[in-house]
Amino acid sequence: MKDITRTLLKIDCSKFATKKQGFTYLSWTDAWKKILENYPEATYEVVKQESGLPYVYDEATGYMVFTKVTIEGLTHEMWLPVIRQNMRIKRS
């Protein structure tokens, strides 16, 4: 794990960083490209909920997407808030 972390932390992504709603972030597309350049066998998964949807909604926290990224057999799970203005998703 230390080698994976060291490798990824050495990557300068500043030229790909963007600002949106007061946050500086790296888009998933750019992040995934950098991962695959270093670990072409890496995989990711968007976890579907019991409803079959790829997100969960909570009135207090809003929309969340849960993901898993696996590199060389090591899996990290992460929840990601959906940050978008005027988002309209029909809830069933």
Side-chain angles (χ1 to χ4, degrees):
M1 178 175 148
K2 288 183 182 180
D3 290 339
I4 295 169
T5 302
R6 271 190 232 128
T7 298
L8 295 177
L9 287 175
K10 288 180 184 176
I11 300 170
D12 178 12
C13 294
S14 58
K15 66 180 176 180
F16 302 107
T18 57
K19 290 187 183 262
K20 184 176 184 179
Q21 295 181 5
F23 295 99
T24 300
Y25 73 100
L26 183 64
S27 75
W28 173 249
T29 306
D30 289 329
W32 188 243
K33 180 180 175 184
K34 292 300 180 185
I35 289 171
L36 290 179
E37 285 173 359
N38 290 275
Y39 299 98
E41 301 298 319
T43 61
Y44 75 90
E45 173 188 359
V46 175
V47 179
K48 291 192 177 178
Q49 306 303 310
E50 289 181 19
S51 65
L53 295 171
Y55 62 86
V56 66
Y57 176 76
D58 178 84
E59 287 191 28
T61 59
Y63 292 93
M64 295 289 211
V65 175
F66 296 85
T67 63
K68 297 179 183 181
V69 174
T70 303
I71 300 174
E72 294 185 350
L74 179 66
T75 301
H76 282 276
E77 297 181 20
M78 188 64 175
W79 56 268
L80 305 164
V82 177
I83 302 171
R84 189 169 172 177
Q85 290 179 329
N86 302 321
M87 184 172 177
R88 293 183 186 156
I89 295 178
K90 185 179 178 182
R91 293 189 302 270
S92 35

